[in-house]
Amino acid sequence: MKTVVVGLSGGVDSSVAAYLLKQQGYEVIGLFMRNWHDTTGTLEGDCPWYDDQMFAELVARRLDIPFRFIDLSEQYRHRVVDYMFDEYGKGRTPNPDVLCNREIKFDAFLKAALDMGADYVATGHYCRREEIEIDGHTVHRLLAGTDPGKDQSYFLCQLTQDQLSRALFPIGHMLKSEVRRIAAEQKLATAQRKDSQGICFVGKVDLPVFLQQQLKARRGDIIEIAADWAGYADRPLVSDPTAHYSADELNTLAAPYSYAPENGIKVGEHNGAHFYTIGQRKGLNVGGKPEPLFVIATDVIRNIVYVGQGQHHPGLYRPALRIRPDEMHWIRPDMALQNGESRRYSLRIRYRQPLQQGVLHQTAEGGYLLFDEMQRGI
């Protein structure tokens, strides 16, 4: 009998995953991760970790499976939260959930499960895994979940073949409504529990308050850039995915716009450029404009936030982006592009975004994604 350690989170998805695996004949062990202790910046009403643990333990008792506990908070702080602070400090917007899956759930947690004698780990992710044979070798495919409104394959985009070989996703073929129904039928304590939101294992937070644990507030200027700023005319606003571009042209298409204070007018002040992200509307506290202001760029060195009026401001849109060579990751190394090669893909740059179309050009300087249509808030 194969042994599976299920990451019981205290939510309905992992609860039903554990139930299904037991029904399939696996020896199932429920393991609860405590990954975060600090409540700084956590919004009122967000469930603390001990409530999650209580619900997870109730589910384990109902299913009559062993329940265990592991504290991975040191690894989580070092490998996820510190990275998040560092990225915001550099003026970039990280995705902690992607990192959490790569570094915690399918690394630190996986290693702990293997030490317990497990053959696999399982989670309540809405995604699927498929095995195929290529030249006599088993290759693992990561597939979207069946429920289009819950598909979470996006958050697993940095898993490796080794990690996928040990992963099971028991509810990936199901709709959320089916999961809720099974939980209710089996009288699981989590059947009606709300889904968790916010940062993985931290919850919903007031981001500036949360970030001020390590990033100091700094008063700076908010500069508005007009939609007819001359710099927008200096580069093509739309790429042609079928064209052949030189390395310089690719860099030009993918580069963020570069502004200076003299390019616009001061319209307000902020408490730190590192607290803002491209496309953000709320939190600027600047009124009296014909259209809402959106963040179009941040300069954390000079501590300036640049904004533009209206959701169609040209500063919000770019035709391409660059992925640095050290940040390229292929779930399927057998499909990796070589320098000089290009391939058309369906793409998304944020969770739940409808799939976009474009071409990936692989070069020695990294990967350049050229979209068929301009993308907002890269």
Side-chain angles (χ1 to χ4, degrees), residues 223-227 232 284 291-297 306-311 313 316:
I223 304 294
E224 181 184 350
I225 304 296
Y232 296 134
L284 290 168
E291 294 187 83
L293 293 175
F294 292 86
V295 175
I296 59 174
Y306 294 98
V307 298
Q309 278 192 52
Q311 59 182 339
H313 190 282
L316 284 171

Side-chain angles (χ1 to χ4, degrees), residues 51-70:
D51 279 358
D52 294 335
Q53 181 180 351
M54 179 189 70
F55 275 95
E57 195 161 2
L58 287 172
V59 168
R61 288 179 185 174
R62 177 67 183 171
L63 296 178
D64 192 25
I65 61 175
F67 179 80
R68 300 181 186 177
F69 170 93
I70 187 172

Side-chain angles (χ1 to χ4, degrees), residues 11-186:
V12 66
D13 298 328
S14 61
S15 302
V16 172
Y19 165 76
L20 292 174
L21 289 168
K22 187 175 181 183
Q23 292 296 107
Q24 293 166 18
Y26 288 99
E27 180 182 349
V28 180
I29 299 172
L31 182 58
F32 178 83
M33 287 179 279
R34 182 183 181 185
N35 289 347
W36 191 247
H37 300 240
D38 197 343
T39 58
T40 302
T42 302
L43 297 178
E44 185 178 358
D46 194 53
C47 293
W49 69 269
Y50 45 82
D51 279 358
D52 294 335
Q53 181 180 351
M54 179 189 70
F55 275 95
E57 195 161 2
L58 287 172
V59 168
R61 288 179 185 174
R62 177 67 183 171
L63 296 178
D64 192 25
I65 61 175
F67 179 80
R68 300 181 186 177
F69 170 93
I70 187 172
D71 192 322
L72 297 175
S73 55
E74 183 177 347
Q75 294 96 316
Y76 184 79
R77 176 178 287 278
H78 175 65
R79 297 163 70 172
V80 179
V81 177
D82 286 351
Y83 163 83
M84 191 172 77
F85 284 129
D86 185 62
E87 286 293 285
Y88 273 108
K90 292 175 179 175
R92 296 194 289 258
T93 305
N95 191 318
D97 286 9
V98 171
L99 200 66
C100 178
N101 283 313
R102 186 187 76 188
E103 299 289 334
I104 304 299
K105 292 179 183 176
F106 294 94
D107 189 78
F109 181 85
L110 172 59
K111 289 175 181 176
L114 295 178
D115 288 342
M116 293 166 55
D119 298 288
Y120 301 101
V121 295
T123 67
H125 282 102
Y126 285 85
C127 63
R128 295 170 294 142
R129 188 198 67 163
E130 180 182 78
E131 294 183 359
I132 59 175
E133 291 287 328
I134 297 180
D135 297 330
H137 298 286
T138 300
V139 174
H140 303 280
R141 302 178 69 205
L142 177 65
L143 306 177
T146 299
D147 190 332
K150 295 296 294 182
D151 169 41
Q152 294 172 307
S153 56
Y154 177 90
F155 294 120
L156 303 178
C157 65
Q158 291 193 357
L159 296 193
T160 66
Q161 286 289 301
D162 286 343
Q163 290 170 320
L164 281 173
S165 73
R166 296 284 191 171
L168 297 178
F169 306 111
I171 66 169
H173 64 289
M174 302 174 67
L175 301 177
K176 181 73 177 193
S177 57
E178 296 178 273
V179 172
R180 291 280 186 193
R181 176 181 56 78
I182 291 173
E185 289 174 352
Q186 299 305 314

Side-chain angles (χ1 to χ4, degrees), residues 88-91 211 215-218 271-276 300 303:
Y88 273 108
K90 292 175 179 175
L211 292 176
L215 303 178
K216 293 181 179 180
R218 295 170 55 209
N271 287 320
H274 40 259
F275 297 142
Y276 294 84
V300 296
N303 196 31

Side-chain angles (χ1 to χ4, degrees), residues 11 16 24 34 55 71 102 107 122 127 133 189 192-194 199 209 212 224 227 248 254 265 270 301 319 373 376:
V16 172
Q24 293 166 18
R34 182 183 181 185
F55 275 95
D71 192 322
R102 186 187 76 188
D107 189 78
C127 63
E133 291 287 328
Q192 300 302 322
R193 203 167 185 225
K194 291 182 179 180
I199 301 171
V209 174
Q212 283 179 41
E224 181 184 350
D248 287 343
I265 58 171
H270 59 81
I301 303 300
E373 297 182 5
R376 185 182 188 279

